[in-house]
Amino acid sequence: DTAVSQTPKYLVTQMGNDKSIKCEQNLGHDTMYWYKQDSKKFLKIMFSYNNKELIINETVPNRFSPKSPDKAHLNLHINSLELGDSAVYFCASSLRQGYSGNTIYFGEGSWLTVV
Amino acid sequence: GDSVTQMEGPVTLSEEAFLTINCTYTATGYPSLFWYVQYPGEGLQLLLKATKADDKGSNKGFEATYRKETTSFHLEKGSVQVSDSAVYFCALSGGNDMRFGAGTRLTVKP
């Protein structure tokens, strides 16, 4: 059973297009995240949702819009894609906010290439 | 804000060599500390963690001790294998999110 699953795994698209990445977790967790990993492997948090409520919104262009229809799903929609958006996007989840010892569980990543 | 600094790689070792990857942190309060591993083409997996000072996390022969006095959480393994080749991330959590170091790529040669 896949704990955190995201689709698609690979996505190649042209500049200016709009695309979505879907994420689902079956762990019963309250908190979900989107992280971006650049070509140098640096990981940066983009968004965090707790029980469908936006908790963290780092300095991310507003072309990126997360949507959480329920606490098991957190989708990422990207408008007007730019070359610099090429990266690996990781969905993740943890039990709940507020406890520092919570482990974050990651999906396998979505490799986005903008051409 | 909270942050993690880990030694830059890449690190290349021969099989059965001793591994140390240094990690230091800056944080307010009492964070938990983690090591994650990322194998090629995969997501990050928890390797070990420690939630308070002097705790030692261990898994698969890897160990790290939470040292508050030196604000460190260095990763060690006594004898590495080729299968340990991966990128290792030190991370810190204060409760609301997790902050990662830049990652250290380890290559183990037979």
Side-chain angles (χ1 to χ4, degrees), chain A residues 7 10 30 63 90-91 110:
Chain A
T7 55
Y10 300 102
D30 284 350
R63 298 181 294 103
F90 286 101
C91 179
S110 295

Side-chain angles (χ1 to χ4, degrees), chain A residues 9 33 35 37 41-43 45 56 58 90 97-104 106-108 111, chain B residues 30 32 34 36 38 41-44 46 49 51 89 93-100 102 105:
Chain A
K9 182 157 186 175
Y33 311 82
Y35 280 84
Q37 186 175 47
K41 297 292 189 183
F42 187 71
L43 265 169
I45 190 165
I56 293 173
E58 290 288 295
F90 286 101
Q97 286 271 326
Y99 172 51
S100 67
N102 282 332
T103 298
I104 291 185
F106 285 82
E108 293 201 341
W111 269 252
Chain B
Y30 304 96
S32 293
F34 302 77
Y36 278 82
Q38 184 179 26
E42 298 184 11
L44 280 74
L46 177 69
K49 71 179 185 183
T51 57
F89 292 90
S93 172
N96 287 330
D97 69 346
M98 193 170 286
R99 305 283 166 159
F100 289 84
R105 182 179 298 278

Side-chain angles (χ1 to χ4, degrees), chain A residues 22-93:
Chain A
K22 294 186 176 181
C23 179
E24 175 182 6
Q25 54 95 1
N26 63 6
L27 296 167
H29 288 167
D30 284 350
T31 306
M32 295 186 73
Y33 311 82
W34 279 107
Y35 280 84
K36 179 181 180 180
Q37 186 175 47
D38 64 23
S39 58
K40 295 184 179 178
K41 297 292 189 183
F42 187 71
L43 265 169
K44 185 173 166 56
I45 190 165
M46 301 172 68
F47 302 103
S48 165
Y49 270 72
N50 190 60
N51 252 324
K52 303 193 300 175
E53 182 185 345
L54 181 64
I55 301 296
I56 293 173
N57 182 354
E58 290 288 295
T59 310
V60 176
N62 57 16
R63 298 181 294 103
F64 290 78
S65 52
K67 284 194 171 45
S68 182
D70 56 60
K71 73 174 192 178
H73 295 84
L74 179 62
N75 303 322
L76 183 65
H77 188 75
I78 315 170
N79 288 329
S80 304
L81 279 155
E82 301 177 357
L83 292 176
D85 297 332
S86 296
V88 184
Y89 292 85
F90 286 101
C91 179
S93 73

